Structure formats: C-alpha cells, structure tokens
C-alpha cells in the first residue's frame, strides 16, 4: 500500500481550516455538542482512523442532523480530510488529530451514538493483535463512551482481522447484526458509502467484510 507523502506547510494549512478542529479537543470531553454549536439531543457519530476523509465528508453531508467527529492520528492524512471538509463547507463535521489509544481522554460516558471503524490497520503481519482497533481493550473504552443502544459499524478487507473482530465483539458483550462477507453484492450495499481504501480493495477484486456490533 502506498503511503501518503508528508504534506508541506501543514500548520499554516491547518490554520486556514481552523473552524473544523480544536486546539485542545480534550477540553470538549462531555461537551462536544455544546462546543460545536449543536443542541443536547443531537446524535454524535465518531469515526476512528478516518483517512483522507471521503467517508466522513459524504456521511456528514448525507446526515446534517448528526454531529460527526472524525479522528485520525497521521497529520498529513488529517490535513487532507480537514481540507476536504473545509472545501465542502460542512458545518457538522469536526476533526481530532489524535490516537485512539487515548480516546478516553476525548469523550465522556454515553457521549457517542455510533462509531465507525473502516479498514483499520490489520496488524496481521506483525502479529500485534493488541494494536487492532477492535482489540478488547479498545472495545471496553468504546463501551464507556457509547450510549446503550448505540453501535459500532465495522468494515474491512481482511479476513483475519474480521474473524478476530467478531470474536472480540462477542467477548465484550456486543450483539452482532448486518454481517456480510461480500458487502458490495449484498442488500446492505444500497446505503453503503465506500471509503478510499474500500474502493482500492474492491478494484483489486477483494470482498469487503462488514458487521454492526450493537451495544
Ligand atoms: C488503512 S487506513 C484506512 C483509512 C480510511 N478509514 C479508509 O477506509 O480509507 C487506516 C487509518 O487509520 C489511522 N489509524 C490507525 N491507527 C490509529 C489510531 N490508533 N488512532 C487514530 N487513527 C489511527 C491511520 O493513520 C490510517 O489513516
């Protein structure tokens, strides 16, 4: 997989899009709706590892009633996503440049309605399951911030990560629905938005796996 080249002038370019992100996002813990100018009953959706922002910008545009927060740890990639959202003038999409390993510092109990994990790094070759974003230690953190009745939507190209994740979701008490190992040839594809990586894998003829883990 080709890596993105480090972008030039990242601080200046981020500054130009400052209304899409916060200097100290941890201060929004427990008050994301207020900090972003939304009412207390607004659903909050969180995407972790949003990449260059195709999915989050399309989701935010489709769901103006939702406050959508996208988290990404790579700064060049975050910039690409932030600039995309800025160009589209999306008012309901905000970004956190940060690591999911510290997610409990950003969100309070019951603050999130839905989490999206799309094509998370599989960590298979390195055999480091504890780094997977569906490892049980991550899921336990997500459970604290997810409302009861909330859900995690998970998509991947990787069979090993998918099988691992199904086990981890079950182990952590999630109920699994909407499971498919061939998303693009399933009924769920009607409402599916493809991510950048999803399109690349589909072009290579790889079946996309998808499941919803309900809390
Ligand atoms: C394989 S890419 C997928 C990008 C995008 N979701 C897509 O489907 O096109 C995984 C992304 O997750 C980000 N990522 C990986 N681990 C992360 C973590 N612990 N916290 C935040 N972002 C992470 C990476 O920087 C990368 O941009």
């Amino acid at each position: 997989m080709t890596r993105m080249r480090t972008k030039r002038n990242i601080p200046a370019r981020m500054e130009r899009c400052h209304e899409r992100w916060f200097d100290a996002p941890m201060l929004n813990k427990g008050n994301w709706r207020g900090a972003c100018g939304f009412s207390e009953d607004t659903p909050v959706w969180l995407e972790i590892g949003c990449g260059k922002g195709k999915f989050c910008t399309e989701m935010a545009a489709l769901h103006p009633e939702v406050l959508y927060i996208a988290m990404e740890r790579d700064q060049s990639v975050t910039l690409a996503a932030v600039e995309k959202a800025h160009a589209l003038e999306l008012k309901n999409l905000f970004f956190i440049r940060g690591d999911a390993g510290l997610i409990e510092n950003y969100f309070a109990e019951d603050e999130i309605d839905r989490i999206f994990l799309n094509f998370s790094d599989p960590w298979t070759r390195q055999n480091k399951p504890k780094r997977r974003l569906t490892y049980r230690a991550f899921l336990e953190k997500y459970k604290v911030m997810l409302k009861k009745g909330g859900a995690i939507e998970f998509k991947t190209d990787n069979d090993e990560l998918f099988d691992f994740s199904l086990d981890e979701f079950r182990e952590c008490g999630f109920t699994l629905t909407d499971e498919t190992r061939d998303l693009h040839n399933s009924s769920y594809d009607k409402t599916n938005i493809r991510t950048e990586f999803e399109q690349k894998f589909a072009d290579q003829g790889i079946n996309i796996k998808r499941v919803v883990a309900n809390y």
Side-chain angles (χ1 to χ4, degrees):
M1 204 57 64
T2 49
R3 286 191 69 80
M4 191 172 187
R5 288 173 57 194
T6 303
K7 288 184 179 290
R8 287 172 190 274
N9 306 324
I10 292 178
R13 289 169 65 178
M14 284 294 285
E15 198 53 40
R16 260 178 246 138
C17 309
H18 206 149
E19 66 277 17
R20 300 271 64 82
W21 55 278
F22 294 85
D23 290 319
M26 289 179 187
L27 297 180
N28 292 348
K29 180 174 175 173
N31 184 37
W32 275 97
R33 293 171 178 83
C36 297
F38 286 78
S39 64
E40 278 312 302
D41 56 355
T42 305
V44 178
W45 293 358
L46 168 68
E47 183 180 346
I48 305 173
C50 68
K52 290 190 265 176
K54 177 180 183 294
F55 185 83
C56 63
T57 51
E58 292 184 35
M59 287 292 276
L62 258 181
H63 298 281
E65 76 287 2
V66 163
L67 168 56
Y68 200 105
I69 301 168
M71 183 176 207
E72 170 57 53
R73 73 173 175 194
D74 181 290
Q75 60 173 355
S76 292
V77 176
T78 307
L79 174 63
V82 166
E83 287 186 332
K84 199 170 280 172
H86 183 70
L88 293 167
E89 298 184 11
L90 292 166
K91 303 290 182 228
N92 60 332
L93 173 57
F94 295 83
F95 293 86
I96 298 173
R97 189 170 83 73
D99 197 302
L102 297 173
I103 200 157
E104 68 275 21
N105 294 335
Y106 295 98
F107 298 101
E109 212 172 306
D110 297 337
E111 195 163 18
I112 306 290
D113 294 84
R114 214 160 184 86
I115 294 177
F116 298 89
L117 295 173
N118 294 322
F119 303 87
S120 307
D121 296 307
W123 293 106
T124 43
R125 267 179 299 167
Q126 298 88 343
N127 192 24
K128 289 185 172 150
K130 290 184 178 177
R131 295 201 184 176
R132 296 176 186 156
L133 295 183
T134 51
Y135 178 59
R136 62 193 64 187
F138 281 103
L139 298 185
E140 290 302 334
K141 291 184 183 191
Y142 306 154
K143 276 164 67 175
V144 174
M145 58 193 65
L146 256 186
K147 279 187 191 152
K148 198 76 191 152
I152 302 174
E153 293 195 23
F154 177 62
K155 292 196 278 187
T156 183
D157 59 299
N158 188 288
D159 285 301
E160 185 182 331
L161 177 63
F162 192 62
D163 290 335
F164 169 89
S165 302
L166 296 180
D167 287 345
E168 293 296 288
F169 283 132
R170 286 193 195 100
E171 186 63 35
C172 292
F174 288 88
T175 307
L176 303 184
T177 58
D178 303 46
E179 180 181 336
T180 172
R181 287 178 186 260
D182 189 2
L183 174 59
H184 296 169
N185 288 304
S186 76
S187 57
Y188 306 118
D189 198 41
K190 278 190 220 99
T191 51
N192 181 46
I193 291 177
R194 294 189 185 196
T195 76
E196 280 100 352
F197 273 69
E198 181 168 357
Q199 191 56 57
K200 274 190 218 172
F201 291 127
D203 291 344
Q204 293 167 27
I206 298 172
N207 284 1
I208 304 304
K209 277 61 72 176
R210 186 252 191 172
V211 72
V212 179
N214 303 276
Y215 180 45

